[in-house]
Amino acid sequence: MRSLNQRILFSASLVLFIFIVGTALTLDRAFYDSGQRALQDRMLGKLFLLMGEVEVDQKGSLSMPEELPALIEFEQLNSGVYAFITDQTNTLVWKSFSTLSIPIPSRAPLLEGEKKFEQIMLNDEPHFIYSFAVAWETDGGDYPFTFHVIIESASLEAQIDSYRTDLWGWLGVMGFLLLIMQMLVLHWGLRPMRQVSSELNAVESGVQESVQGLYPVELKRLTDNINSLIQHERKHQQRYRNALADLAHSLKTPLTILQGTIRTEKLSENMKTVLDEQINRMDSIIQYQLRRAATAGSSPGTRLIALRPVVEKIVNTVNRAHYDKCPQIVIEIGSEFCLRVDEGDLMELLGNLIDNAFKWCRRTVIISAQCVHDDIVLKVEDDGPGVKQEEIGRLTERGVRADQAMPGHGIGLAIVRDIAQAYDGALSIEPGKNAGASFIIRIKR
């Protein structure tokens, strides 16, 4: 899960889910225990009312009135409320009329003053029973009796089910509302992060030069460091290029003097040829190394360059240099094709490839571009004599030329290769469709 927003939202949702479930279980248990205590109090109250109706004579004989107005449930069959009384030998001495619909459960004797509340099964239905052992005082002595009240648990279970339905329903609504609030809070809280991301995309695409927004203190140091890094990289690149330009200027004068000296001094023709050849070679090597070192390479601040205008500009320039050929130029590049490449590097790369195609073509030069996955593939194709298969691997080496009769230093394709590699791209050479050669550059968009 790479999204920070998703990670926080997932964590908050998990904590919220655990909290709601834990709260629901706690409240459910508390309500169930409270319901049981209320039921115990209710049953104990019925026991006291039942004791108030009992009469015990001096011999310990227990009697009950025929009617119990205060305990009408005991006189109704299937009322769900039952009562019976046992003596010290656990013998049944009285039972309510309502007990005719249930079997009388066998209970263990209790000590005087002992109370017992538990759940039992009668007729395969759950019931609660409350037992209370007392010693009845008479003139003839004390006689122990145990009073029992039974109530169906259906009423309590119905209350529990109703409470659980309401509890989970309201907690679900509350959880949903809290989740919505959490999403809104996260959206507001992470807005500076999205703004930083948007500004970095603008810097990367060349729309703006630095991160300019006002951010919280937690992000201020990050944005300041990013701006410092961008400025340092640009200044370093500019200093590097300036130093290279100074080097080129410094070397140009000594080489010019050497060439002038060769022509004025009395040297043999053979010596002049050798010296002139070596000086030209030194000049070519210097130019190549300067161009290679000056290649900008991929940079976050490099802006997008439209391909077609650059190609058309280079074609017009090279066409004037090769006015004697006037080949047919086919440009198959849409206006949507753009590269994040330094403009000077792009001019150098395309200039070498197009100039090479003009040199070798007979009648046609085709320049095209297409998207392949995340790459842009540039192709410059001519209908010239083509390239031998065994020479393809050598053509990108410095100083190697396919035809020694053709003017040049043999470093153009090496420069193209180096520029492409500086942008994580590659140069490849293939036989052309029109019997010529195709020079293909693959660069990431």
Side-chain angles (χ1 to χ4, degrees), residues 232-251:
H232 175 76
E233 190 269 342
R234 287 175 177 164
K235 290 180 180 178
H236 176 74
Q237 189 178 80
Q238 188 61 43
R239 287 196 302 268
Y240 191 51
R241 289 188 168 187
N242 291 340
L244 291 174
D246 294 341
L247 176 61
H249 181 75
S250 300
L251 293 174

Side-chain angles (χ1 to χ4, degrees), residues 99-305:
T99 59
L100 295 178
S101 60
I102 63 168
I104 301 299
S106 176
R107 312 302 298 162
L110 299 179
L111 298 177
E112 180 182 344
E114 186 179 357
K115 300 175 183 178
K116 189 172 184 180
F117 177 82
E118 59 183 334
Q119 190 173 23
I120 61 174
M121 297 297 293
L122 294 176
N123 294 334
D124 297 326
E125 295 291 337
H127 292 69
F128 289 102
I129 183 170
Y130 199 125
S131 302
F132 188 9
V134 297
W136 206 274
E137 295 182 359
T138 65
D139 294 338
D142 296 340
Y143 298 97
F145 295 97
T146 304
F147 294 77
H148 308 272
V149 173
I150 301 175
I151 293 181
E152 291 181 347
S153 62
S155 59
L156 178 61
E157 296 296 334
Q159 292 179 7
I160 297 295
D161 290 342
S162 177
Y163 175 78
R164 286 173 177 171
T165 301
D166 293 341
L167 175 66
W168 286 102
W170 284 109
L171 284 178
V173 172
M174 185 185 300
F176 178 75
L177 294 177
L178 288 176
L179 189 59
I180 296 297
M181 290 297 298
Q182 183 68 34
M183 293 174 63
L184 294 176
V185 169
L186 284 177
H187 182 78
W188 174 78
L190 295 178
R191 185 169 58 184
M193 299 292 291
R194 291 192 299 274
Q195 187 177 351
V196 167
S197 177
S198 177
E199 287 210 63
L200 289 177
N201 289 335
V203 171
E204 185 177 355
S205 61
V207 175
Q208 62 186 57
E209 295 185 354
S210 62
V211 180
Q212 301 170 354
L214 297 176
Y215 295 99
V217 292
E218 292 83 359
L219 294 178
K220 189 67 170 61
R221 185 173 180 181
L222 173 64
T223 56
D224 290 345
N225 288 340
I226 291 175
N227 286 334
S228 298
L229 181 63
I230 292 174
Q231 294 299 323
H232 175 76
E233 190 269 342
R234 287 175 177 164
K235 290 180 180 178
H236 176 74
Q237 189 178 80
Q238 188 61 43
R239 287 196 302 268
Y240 191 51
R241 289 188 168 187
N242 291 340
L244 291 174
D246 294 341
L247 176 61
H249 181 75
S250 300
L251 293 174
K252 184 177 180 180
T253 301
L255 289 176
T256 304
I257 294 173
L258 286 175
Q259 286 178 331
T261 302
I262 292 172
R263 295 187 180 90
T264 57
E265 294 294 329
K266 294 181 179 180
L267 300 173
S268 64
E269 291 298 325
N270 185 37
M271 181 64 71
K272 289 183 178 181
T273 301
V274 171
L275 290 175
D276 191 56
E277 181 182 344
Q278 295 303 314
I279 290 173
N280 288 333
R281 185 180 178 188
M282 290 171 60
D283 182 64
S284 299
I285 293 173
I286 290 170
Q287 294 299 326
Y288 167 70
Q289 293 297 339
L290 288 176
R291 287 173 180 173
R292 180 181 179 185
T295 300
S298 180
S299 173
T302 306
R303 64 186 180 90
L304 288 171
I305 302 294

Side-chain angles (χ1 to χ4, degrees), residues 18-28 167 171:
I18 295 175
F19 173 77
I20 288 178
V21 172
T23 301
L25 294 176
T26 301
L27 292 176
D28 180 81
L167 175 66
L171 284 178

Side-chain angles (χ1 to χ4, degrees), residues 237 241 294-297 301-307 309-311 313-314 339-351 419 423:
Q237 189 178 80
R241 289 188 168 187
T295 300
T302 306
R303 64 186 180 90
L304 288 171
I305 302 294
L307 282 178
V310 176
V311 170
K313 181 179 179 180
I314 294 174
L339 276 176
R340 186 167 284 108
V341 178
D342 180 79
E343 188 172 2
D345 292 340
L346 185 59
M347 295 283 289
E348 184 75 18
L349 183 148
L350 290 175
I419 293 176
Y423 290 92

